[in-house]
Structures are given as C-alpha cells and as structure tokens.
C-alpha cells in the first residue's frame, strides 16, 4: 500500500512514548512537525492561554485550568499518516489508542466515509390550529424560506454554503404527560468549515416571523439541534485474526471474544454506556484538543446511540468471509475547523498544525477513527488481560504524583507500586516515605 507521509519523517517519532518530554519536543521538531518557535513554547512556557485573551473568552475569568496534551501515534487514515493530539487527564487512553492504531495500521489502517456536512436548525411552533395545513403551507413556501434564511446570513452563502433543504415534523400531543402538540420546522444548513451554531441560530431567528405568518402559530424555540444526523462520519477497519494473538489466546479466540463483547454492548444498555464511554475517551480528547465543543458532540453521539429506541453500542465488530475482524463506527460529528476558540487558543492552534491542518471532513475522519481505535484497544484488553493491567500500570504514575513524588521519584515509585500487593495512594505514600 502506498502511504502519503505529508512531509513528516515518522521514523524520528518511533518509540515516542519512551522519550523524555524534552526528547519528544525535539523529535517533533526533527520530524518536521513543529517549528523551532513552537518547540521553544512547548519546552519553556507551555500552551496556556494568555489572561488577556482568557478574560474575553468567558465571563468572570480568574485563571486557566490545564489538561495534559499528548499525541497518539501510528494512525493511518485513508492511506495518510496522522499524528493525533489528545487533551485528556486519564492515563492509558493515549497508549491504548496508539496500540490499537499500530495493529490496525499494520493491516491497512482506517477507511472513512463522511456525509455532506449539514447542520440542523429548528423553529418550534406552539398554538398551531391546523397542523397538516400549516405543514403544507411551509412546504409550499420552501423556496422563500430558504431564501430568507440565506439573506439572514449572506456570508456563508458567499463561501458556498447556506440553507439547502427543509422539512416539517409534527410532535403529537401526549395527554398522559400533559404535553400539547408542536410543529417543528427543520432547515438543513451547509456551514462549510464552521460548526455553525451562530450561523444556524441567526438563520432560525431570521425566518421565525415568516414561519409564524405561514402557520398561524407562535415560535417558541429558534435554535440549532445538536442531534447532527445530517453530519455523519463512518470508520471501518479490517484486522486479520493472526494479528490479534496475545498470551495464551489465539488470534481467532480474541477475534471471537471481541465480537461477543460487541454483541453484549448492542443488547445491554448498561454495557453499551461503558462501551460508548470508551469510544468517547478518544473522541472527546481530540474534540477538546482541536478547540471544538465537546458537550455538543457528547449530546449528539449519545442520542444517536439510542436512535433505535434502545441505547446501544455505537460500534459493531464482525467477522468477514476471510475470518478477519471487521470494525465499524458511525458518529454524528458537528465539528469545525474555524470559529469559536479554534483560532484563539494556543493549544487548539497547535493541535490543528499537528494534524496537518485538516479540513472539517478530514477532522471528522480522524475523530471517528480514533473512536474506533479506542474501542478496539479497550475491548481487546477487556476480553484478554482485563482492563486493569494496562490501565493501572499507567495509573501508577498519577498515584505517585498524588502521594507527593517529584522528578525521577515519580517513575521509581510507579515501578515499585506496580509490584506492590495493593496499588493505591496509601501504598504510594508509604513507598515515598521509605525512599
Ligand atoms: N505510552 C504510549 N503508547 C504506548 C505505551 C505508553 N506507555 N505503551 C504502549 N504503547 C503503544 C505503543 O504504540 C506501542 O508500540 P511501539 O512500542 O512499537 O511504539 C504499542 O502500544 C505496543 O506496546 P506494548 O508494550 O506491547 O503494549 P502493552 O502490551 O504493554 O499494552 C496498553 C499496554 C496500555 C497499550 C494496553 O494494556 C491497553 O491497550 N490497555 C487498554 C487501556 C485502555 O483501554 N484504557 C482506556 C481507559 S480504561
């Protein structure tokens, strides 16, 4: 397989996780990923927001709250290598993603498909006397409504986007819950590279008076929906069974156990939530690093998991005719590459550079692939060694720091903790006292 390397010398990044912090920064510089200036910032000052910027981003600003930023390695997505920046406080997530991406990368990597990026805006109407007639009036005026929406935000139209389609939904009354009927008008809006909340909200407020005229109802809500079902990304990967062999388990046994675990997560909401949380460990970390709105993504993804009426696993693992393990994941991913904090936050700016400035569709491909990798890593560990082995091994360093260890003592205490009968804070403190 031919791989485009994007002028990045990945050989310089091998065994990245075994390097010290300073070595990692200089490896990134030598690999052509970051500039000397960025290397200096990372080594000396970090990526914190300047208070003069922070105080304009939110209200009542008092300081910055940092998360560690790391890089997942080994990702090959649609034949392109990519470094994946992840902002996350939880140990073992980045290791698991890199591990999974290594196995999947050696089998051809991730293949993705991204739909048109259409955001949904809603005008929700109350007091509509004749729902069917109102819905017909809206449909008949579709062209005018789209035109008025676009007039409310002409700059997105100049960029090639804008309101593209319309649909109506009648929410039937539910007397048992004392809920009256509502009429909802949806606009599908191409927001190009932006996540588009402001564009959509402006359009919905712009068309609401006209919609009221057409329906005789009163507009109650005029805002985007974070249930981004018109903005979907899918990743698939195919892993030959022999690549799954570990310890006493044959590759076929690991494959079958992963498939069974996936079936359980499709059937049992209690397992599905944890299964999906594992997917979001990776997705959220990249959403945060890239300066996007992780609350929006979280809300949309979990609603999508419940789209059949039951909350289910977002991913599926199956066997193909050759006996390979095949994984698929589809997520609604209303992210952007411009707007919000993306061009303001120094961490977000660096994250986009690390990913070679992906456009919004490419960023979706990266996110959904990370989700699938994270899921594979966690489920593979679960059905073989158990999750605690890898997780606690890496958690040991956090425990050592919590106990008060500094500098080289962190690694020393972490190593001793791994051998101790009880890996907990008390043991870490005792080990530090004995040092
Ligand atoms: N940091 C970063 N990457 C790491 C790593 C670490 N500490 N340890 C392993 N990796 C990655 C590397 O890419 C490595 O390949 P390389 O050495 O060629 O670069 C690859 O994993 C395999 O390394 P290996 O030493 O064989 O890994 P392992 O068998 O010790 O597995 C874990 C360690 C943590 C990756 C594995 O236990 C795991 O995936 N556990 C699941 C953890 C999880 O899902 N956590 C989510 C929250 S519970």
């Amino acid at each position: 397989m031919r791989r485009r390397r994007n002028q990045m010398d990945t050989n310089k990044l091998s065994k990245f996780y075994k390097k010290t912090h300073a070595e990692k920064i200089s490896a990134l510089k030598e690999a052509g990923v970051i500039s000397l200036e960025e290397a200096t910032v990372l080594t000396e000052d970090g990526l914190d927001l300047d208070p003069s910027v922070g105080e304009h981003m939110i209200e009542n600003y008092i300081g910055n709250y940092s998360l560690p930023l790391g890089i997942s390695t080994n990702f090959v997505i649609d034949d392109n290598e990519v470094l994946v920046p992840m902002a996350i406080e939880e140990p073992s997530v980045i290791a698991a993603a890199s591990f999974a991406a290594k196995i999947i990368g050696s089998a051809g990597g991730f293949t993705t498909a991204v739909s048109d990026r259409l955001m949904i805006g809603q005008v929700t109407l109350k007091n509509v006397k004749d729902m069917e007639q109102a819905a017909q009036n809206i449909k008949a005026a579709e062209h005018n409504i789209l035109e008025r929406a676009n007039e409310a935000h002409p700059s997105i139209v100049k960029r090639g986007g804008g309101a593209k389609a319309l649909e109506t939904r009648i929410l039937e009354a539910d007397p048992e819950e004392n809920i009256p009927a509502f009429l909802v008008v949806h606009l599908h809006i191409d927001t190009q590279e932006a996540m588009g909340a402001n564009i959509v909200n402006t359009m919905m407020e712009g068309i609401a008076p006209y919609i009221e005229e057409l329906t005789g109802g009163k507009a109650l809500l005029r805002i985007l929906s974070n249930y981004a079902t018109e903005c979907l990304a899918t990743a698939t990967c195919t892993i030959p069974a022999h690549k799954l062999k570990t310890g006493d388990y044959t590759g076929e046994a690991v494959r079958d156990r992963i498939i069974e675990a996936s079936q359980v997560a499709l059937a049992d909401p209690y397992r599905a939530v944890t299964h999906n949380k594992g997917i979001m460990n990776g997705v959220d970390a990249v959403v945060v690093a890239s300066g996007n709105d992780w609350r929006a993504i979280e809300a949309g993804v979990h609603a999508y998991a419940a789209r059949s009426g039951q909350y289910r696993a977002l991913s599926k693992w199956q066997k193909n005719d050759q006996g390979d393990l095949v994984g698929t994941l589809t997520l609604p991913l209303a992210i952007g590459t411009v707007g919000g904090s993306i061009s303001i936050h120094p961490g977000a700016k660096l994250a986009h550079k690390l990913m070679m400035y992906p456009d919004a569709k490419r960023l979706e491909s990266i996110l959904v692939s990370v989700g699938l990798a994270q899921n594979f890593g966690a489920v593979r560990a679960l059905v073989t060694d158990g999750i605690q082995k890898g997780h606690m091994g890496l958690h040991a360093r956090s425990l050592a720091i919590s106990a008060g260890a500094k500098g080289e003592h962190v690694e020393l205490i972490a190593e001793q903790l791994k051998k101790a009968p009880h890996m907990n804070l008390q043991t870490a403190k005792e080990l530090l006292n004995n040092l």
Side-chain angles (χ1 to χ4, degrees):
M1 181 186 58
R2 266 184 64 235
R3 279 180 194 173
R4 276 205 283 144
R5 287 187 178 258
N6 294 320
Q7 296 148 0
M8 167 172 77
D9 184 357
T10 37
N11 290 331
K12 296 270 185 329
L13 304 177
S14 80
K15 300 286 170 199
F16 192 68
Y17 64 103
K18 299 216 161 141
K19 297 181 195 296
T20 62
H21 178 246
E23 286 167 352
K24 287 190 180 85
I25 307 301
S26 83
L28 285 173
K29 196 178 78 48
E30 281 166 30
V33 176
I34 57 171
S35 66
L36 178 60
E37 202 179 74
E38 286 155 343
T40 312
V41 168
L42 283 171
T43 317
E44 289 172 10
D45 303 324
L47 287 166
D48 261 357
L49 265 182
D50 193 289
S52 67
V53 177
E55 71 176 343
H56 295 297
M57 284 177 75
I58 59 160
E59 311 73 40
N60 297 349
Y61 171 81
I62 55 165
N64 294 324
Y65 180 100
S66 302
L67 280 176
L69 178 71
I71 290 178
S72 265
T73 54
N74 308 326
F75 274 85
V76 177
I77 301 172
D78 300 321
D79 283 355
N80 278 274
E81 289 177 333
V82 64
L83 293 179
V84 181
M86 297 172 94
I88 187 160
E89 82 297 344
E90 187 175 349
S92 88
V93 169
I94 291 180
S98 304
F99 187 18
K102 184 178 166 186
I103 296 183
I104 294 166
S106 74
F110 301 88
T111 306
T112 69
V114 181
S115 72
D116 284 344
R117 289 174 38 78
L118 293 173
M119 303 303 151
I120 296 171
Q122 296 188 299
V123 175
T124 308
L125 297 140
K126 62 175 193 170
N127 301 342
V128 176
K129 293 212 172 65
D130 185 340
M131 288 284 180
E132 296 298 338
Q133 185 58 51
Q136 274 177 29
N137 294 352
I138 295 283
K139 204 64 203 155
E142 174 165 357
H143 180 76
N144 288 349
I145 295 170
L146 296 181
E147 213 169 65
R148 286 185 190 216
N150 287 330
E151 278 163 13
H153 210 299
S155 61
I156 192 65
V157 182
K158 274 195 209 121
R159 290 178 192 278
K164 301 288 177 197
L166 173 153
E167 68 177 40
T168 52
R169 291 168 54 232
I170 296 169
L171 307 182
E172 302 291 352
D174 182 348
E176 246 173 68
E177 294 289 335
N178 197 21
I179 300 172
F182 293 98
L183 179 65
V184 192
V185 180
H186 276 199
L187 247 56
H188 293 179
I189 300 161
D190 176 354
T191 56
Q192 298 276 295
E193 285 299 299
M195 183 266 191
N198 288 331
I199 299 170
V200 174
N201 297 346
T202 303
M203 287 187 172
M204 302 323 287
E205 290 185 8
I207 62 167
Y210 183 41
I211 302 273
E212 285 180 341
E213 249 175 63
L214 290 166
T215 58
K218 267 276 158 243
L220 181 66
L221 306 163
R222 302 154 298 163
I223 191 164
L224 103 158
S225 167
N226 289 118
Y227 191 23
T229 51
E230 302 298 315
C231 184
L232 299 174
T234 299
T236 53
C237 64
T238 303
I239 312 169
H242 69 88
K243 288 188 183 283
L244 298 168
K245 183 180 167 8
T246 178
D248 291 339
Y249 293 98
T250 64
E252 285 74 17
V254 176
R255 175 199 64 201
D256 293 344
R257 290 168 70 83
I258 290 175
I259 293 170
E260 284 158 3
S262 153
Q263 291 163 345
V264 173
L266 284 165
D268 175 16
Y270 282 88
R271 175 58 208 151
V273 170
T274 319
H275 182 97
N276 292 344
K277 189 275 182 186
I279 292 171
M280 298 313 286
N281 272 340
V283 175
D284 280 342
V286 186
V287 171
V288 172
S290 68
N292 274 287
D293 180 346
W294 76 94
R295 286 88 54 207
I297 300 299
E298 278 283 331
V301 157
H302 295 294
Y304 194 66
R307 66 192 181 285
S308 67
Q310 183 189 314
Y311 188 93
R312 293 182 190 278
L314 288 154
S315 65
K316 197 168 193 179
W317 293 93
Q318 290 164 299
K319 186 169 81 169
N320 68 11
D321 292 344
Q322 288 72 48
D324 307 327
L325 179 67
V326 181
T328 321
L329 172 68
T330 298
L331 298 176
L333 287 171
I335 48 73
T337 59
V338 295
S341 66
I342 295 168
S343 53
I344 301 173
H345 196 291
K349 286 201 263 187
L350 183 74
H352 284 263
K353 172 155 190 181
L354 290 170
M355 292 183 283
M356 310 279 173
Y357 298 111
D359 63 12
K361 282 193 169 185
R362 171 77 179 157
L363 183 53
E364 283 187 47
S365 293
I366 295 172
L367 286 163
V368 72
S369 301
V370 170
L372 189 57
Q374 209 73 65
N375 181 229
F376 170 73
V379 175
R380 181 202 147 276
L382 264 176
V383 299
T384 54
D385 292 334
I387 203 75
Q388 286 305 75
K389 186 168 172 243
H391 184 72
M392 290 309 277
L394 295 166
H395 185 53
R397 285 186 286 181
S398 301
L399 282 176
I401 294 168
S402 302
K406 293 204 166 63
E408 60 198 27
H409 286 169
V410 175
E411 214 50 62
L412 204 69
I413 297 292
E415 281 311 312
Q416 293 183 8
L417 262 177
K418 284 186 212 168
K419 292 177 200 134
H422 302 292
M423 192 198 285
N424 54 32
L425 188 59
Q426 186 55 33
T427 315
K429 282 183 178 164
E430 282 165 18
L431 289 169
L432 193 65
N433 277 340
N434 293 342
L435 203 74

